[in-house]
Amino acid sequence: MTGPVLRLCRFAAADGAARVGVLHEAGVTDLTAAGGPRLTEILADRDPQGLVATILDRVPSAPQLPLASVRLLAPVEHQEVWAAGVTYLRSKSARMEESSFSATAYDRVYAAARPEIFFKSLPHKVSGPGDPVGIRADATWSVPEPELALVFDATGALKGFTIGNDMSSRDIEGENLLYLPQAKTYRHSCALGPCIALATEAQARSWSIRIRIEREGATAFAGATEVARIVRTFGELGSWLFRSQSFPHGAILLTGTGIVPPDAFSLRAGDVVTIELDGIGTLRNPVVVV
Ligand code: DO4
Ligand code: MG
């Protein structure tokens, strides 16, 4: 796959109904109006990029909608969302510091053949661009985790990439690793968007991830890392996700965080989290207490 990366999105136009489109710098080409299928069917095609080109060749007059006239939705239909963890050295060391109780577990899983993979969200619970992301009311140390997310079809083939925010309660995870599902999966704990970039692993490996957290108009935290620092290949992560599992609609897998704010930092209601990933775009969400 060469040339510009095609970016597929879900969006709501004036009538509020979910549609599928191609996301450009200034707007969206409405594939649904051109008779295109749902995102899941496009991703299931052997050649999603070719399928989109065929749809647009057939209907060259497909509506072009300015970005300001649409609301981007999370690029997920019926796909479960899972997450890999401790795939960056930075994540391993931060978690070992956070909990002497569980330090060996993080140390071991970083180097083990089997990666850490956990369930993150049902599709209908995912926040899209502009939607709130949550911090738990019973947590005292909450952080965003900006992550590259892999988009698989039902056969386990990697079809594209999006941005994921694996919102986490570090105090709850640090108290006892058995509390991980509570630290990771709660209302508004997962955001995805703004689109699915149909790129290759080689292209994605050259991308950087940046995060900025705004508080009362100023930057409260900013950080960056490179996708190339992920210690495992995407094929490896995908093959573990699909072991003894079936995902009839495909699945989304977050690949772990490599950016950890200083220990004194915790998110607050009203903060705004902006994650940028080269080749995909920007995912921006306000923080609420849930
Ligand atoms: O084991 C805890 C979760 C790890 C994680 O979410 C990450 O490294 O991103
Ligand atoms: Mg994570």
Side-chain angles (χ1 to χ4, degrees):
M1 201 186 302
T2 52
V5 170
L6 188 86
R7 299 188 302 156
L8 294 172
C9 65
R10 287 177 72 245
F11 67 97
D15 64 357
R19 308 173 81 79
V20 177
V22 177
L23 182 62
H24 309 286
E25 249 353 276
V28 170
T29 305
D30 190 341
L31 289 178
T32 303
R38 292 179 323 156
L39 197 53
T40 309
E41 278 80 55
I42 297 178
L43 294 169
D45 195 87
R46 202 178 42 81
D47 175 15
Q49 201 143 354
L51 175 61
V52 170
T54 306
I55 296 166
L56 294 177
D57 278 351
R58 213 176 45 218
V59 188
S61 58
Q64 306 289 333
L65 309 168
L67 260 190
S69 70
V70 303
R71 187 167 65 87
L72 291 176
L73 304 173
V76 59
E77 283 167 343
H78 300 292
Q79 293 85 351
E80 292 174 26
V81 184
W82 289 68
V86 199
T87 53
Y88 285 84
L89 204 51
R90 179 72 189 103
S91 177
K92 179 185 90 140
S93 45
R95 291 192 150 82
M96 288 178 73
E97 285 158 23
E98 147 194 301
S99 169
S100 52
F101 186 75
S102 315
T104 353
Y106 297 119
D107 199 26
R108 283 191 190 180
V109 81
Y110 182 74
R114 183 189 291 270
E116 176 194 14
I117 293 182
F118 56 91
F119 176 75
K120 182 65 187 174
S121 182
L122 290 169
H124 65 275
K125 294 187 168 183
V126 171
S127 297
D131 292 340
V133 286
I135 51 179
R136 291 184 65 118
D138 61 356
T140 56
W141 189 12
S142 301
V143 292
E145 294 194 353
E147 306 188 9
L148 176 72
L150 312 179
V151 181
F152 294 100
D153 69 15
T155 70
L158 178 57
K159 291 300 187 54
F161 303 89
T162 188
I163 302 174
N165 184 350
D166 171 24
M167 293 287 288
S168 302
S169 315
R170 290 191 68 187
D171 57 318
I172 296 176
E173 176 183 338
E175 187 178 340
N176 189 323
L177 210 38
L178 294 177
Y179 296 153
L180 192 74
Q182 296 173 72
K184 291 290 192 178
T185 298
Y186 54 86
R187 192 148 26 99
H188 299 318
S189 65
C190 179
L192 294 175
C195 61
I196 294 176
L198 302 180
T200 61
E201 171 154 3
Q203 285 172 312
R205 287 250 166 213
S206 72
W207 295 342
S208 296
I209 307 179
R210 291 170 293 282
I211 187 168
R212 189 159 60 91
I213 302 169
E214 292 162 66
R215 179 170 296 163
E216 291 161 8
T219 299
F221 172 74
T225 191
E226 291 89 43
V227 171
R229 289 178 190 265
I230 297 175
V231 73
R232 298 177 189 266
T233 66
F234 302 154
E236 184 187 353
L237 291 173
S239 76
W240 282 99
L241 177 67
F242 276 76
R243 274 194 193 199
S244 302
Q245 273 283 16
S246 48
F247 297 109
H249 310 284
I252 295 185
L253 179 67
L254 278 62
T255 55
T257 190
I259 306 174
V260 183
D263 289 357
F265 180 87
S266 182
L267 284 169
R268 292 188 202 150
D271 289 352
V272 178
V273 180
T274 303
I275 304 171
E276 280 176 19
L277 229 152
D278 300 331
I280 302 177
T282 303
L283 175 64
R284 190 174 153 88
N285 301 93
V287 176
V288 297
V289 177
V290 297

